[in-house]
């Protein structure tokens, strides 16, 4: 089954404690991205990756890092989380290569609370 | 600037009634348009998409959307709402040579029996 898997689904952490949210896809997609969803703001792109070792900032990258060492994995790293990063996070993947007419597949989301 | 506007934050309909969710976009190139649905606790699922051709597109779960270039709109419709349609709906725009999607702020649909 084609899917994007995120872990964990729920996470409560304290300010400043480094954390990683994992994302893995099994569709051999080249393009992967992270979004955060906040009430009234919709989904905003944090970072994206067009292929292995190719990553770039999205619209709200401050406070986040990513890596793409393998095609299937695209972890999101918060090195020093702050309360304003409390949000619902989604990982997504699509075939890539500028084929904008293709469907993006989304993970089930990670609800992060930073206290 | 590229953007998507969903003017209705919240819509309530009765089961069996028709529904329409509005979406307006601003995009510098030929737009590719999408509607996604997010059920509680779930990720986003694609309902339908428009790239070219017939401006009325059919999707899953009985939904359809109409692309109106002159109005920069891509409104989502369903002739008869079902209780299971209660969810949050997102309109998104992309383009031919990009994989990036720009999302609207979402419309929450409630369906009353």
């Amino acid at each position: 089954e084609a899917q994007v898997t995120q872990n964990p689904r729920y996470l409560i952490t304290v300010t400043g404690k480094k954390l990683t949210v994992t994302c893995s896809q099994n569709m051999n997609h080249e393009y992967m991205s992270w979004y955060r969803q906040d009430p009234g703001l919709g989904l905003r792109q944090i970072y994206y990756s067009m292929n292995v070792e190719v990553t770039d900032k999205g619209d709200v990258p401050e406070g986040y890092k990513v890596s793409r060492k393998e095609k299937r994995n695209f972890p999101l790293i918060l090195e020093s989380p702050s309360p304003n990063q409390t949000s619902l996070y989604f990982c997504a993947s699509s075939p890539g290569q500028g084929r904008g007419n293709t469907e993006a597949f989304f993970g089930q989301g990670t609800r992060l609370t930073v206290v | 600037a590229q953007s998507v506007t969903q003017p209705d934050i919240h819509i309530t309909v009765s089961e069996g009634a028709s529904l329409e969710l509005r979406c307006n976009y601003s995009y510098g190139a030929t737009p590719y348009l999408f509607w996604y649905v997010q059920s509680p606790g779930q990720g986003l699922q694609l309902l339908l998409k428009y790239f070219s051709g017939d401006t009325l597109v059919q999707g899953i779960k009985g939904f359809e959307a109409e692309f109106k270039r002159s109005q920069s709109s891509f409104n989502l419709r369903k002739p008869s709402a079902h209780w299971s349609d209660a969810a949050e709906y997102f309109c998104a725009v992309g383009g031919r040579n990009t994989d990036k999607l720009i999302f609207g702020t979402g419309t929450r649909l409630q369906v009353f029996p």
Side-chain angles (χ1 to χ4, degrees):
Chain A
E1 180 189 354
Q3 60 184 9
V4 177
T5 304
Q6 290 178 232
N7 280 296
R9 292 288 310 277
Y10 301 91
L11 179 59
I12 301 175
T13 190
V14 296
T15 299
K17 184 176 181 181
K18 181 179 179 179
L19 66 91
T20 299
V21 184
T22 63
C23 173
S24 180
Q25 51 94 3
N26 63 359
M27 295 166 279
N28 202 37
H29 285 169
E30 292 187 354
Y31 188 88
M32 297 185 73
S33 56
W34 277 101
Y35 294 88
R36 60 177 290 172
Q37 182 184 355
D38 301 290
L41 297 176
L43 280 82
R44 295 176 293 167
Q45 192 183 56
I46 303 170
Y47 266 94
Y48 66 94
S49 169
M50 297 179 71
N51 213 326
V52 176
E53 303 291 3
V54 181
T55 64
D56 207 347
K57 296 177 181 178
D59 300 314
V60 288
E62 292 76 21
Y64 304 95
K65 284 177 57 177
V66 293
S67 69
R68 187 91 180 272
K69 293 184 170 59
E70 306 163 282
K71 199 171 190 179
R72 63 182 292 124
N73 296 323
F74 190 46
L76 179 69
I77 303 156
L78 285 72
E79 297 223 322
S80 184
S82 62
N84 65 11
Q85 292 178 298
T86 292
S87 187
L88 178 58
Y89 292 86
F90 286 102
C91 180
S93 76
S94 57
Q97 297 185 351
R99 286 173 285 176
N101 60 347
T102 50
E103 176 181 355
F105 289 81
F106 285 80
Q108 292 204 305
T110 296
R111 185 164 292 282
L112 172 65
T113 302
V114 184
V115 299
Chain B
Q2 300 170 342
S3 64
V4 175
T5 301
Q6 293 181 247
D8 305 304
I9 296 173
H10 189 197
I11 285 182
T12 301
V13 300
S14 299
E15 195 165 18
S18 63
L19 66 90
E20 181 172 27
L21 307 184
R22 295 183 291 165
C23 173
N24 293 95
Y25 67 90
S26 173
Y27 200 72
T30 301
Y32 291 166
L33 294 155
F34 305 81
W35 274 101
Y36 282 86
V37 60
Q38 182 184 21
S39 300
Q42 301 297 313
L44 279 73
Q45 180 184 20
L46 181 69
L47 278 177
L48 47 77
K49 57 189 178 184
Y50 172 79
F51 306 129
S52 64
D54 192 346
T55 56
L56 185 64
V57 293
Q58 303 296 320
I60 62 171
K61 306 186 181 188
F63 284 92
E64 66 179 26
E66 185 171 12
F67 172 61
K68 293 186 177 179
R69 185 183 300 276
S70 62
Q71 299 177 20
S72 298
S73 69
F74 189 57
N75 294 346
L76 182 71
R77 300 193 295 250
K78 186 172 183 179
S80 178
H82 188 266
W83 63 266
S84 61
D85 294 328
E88 186 143 25
Y89 292 79
F90 291 94
C91 181
V93 67
R96 178 177 305 182
N97 295 315
T98 177
D99 296 284
K100 179 175 181 176
L101 293 176
I102 298 166
F103 285 86
T105 51
T107 297
R108 181 163 296 279
L109 175 67
Q110 276 190 300
V111 181
F112 284 103

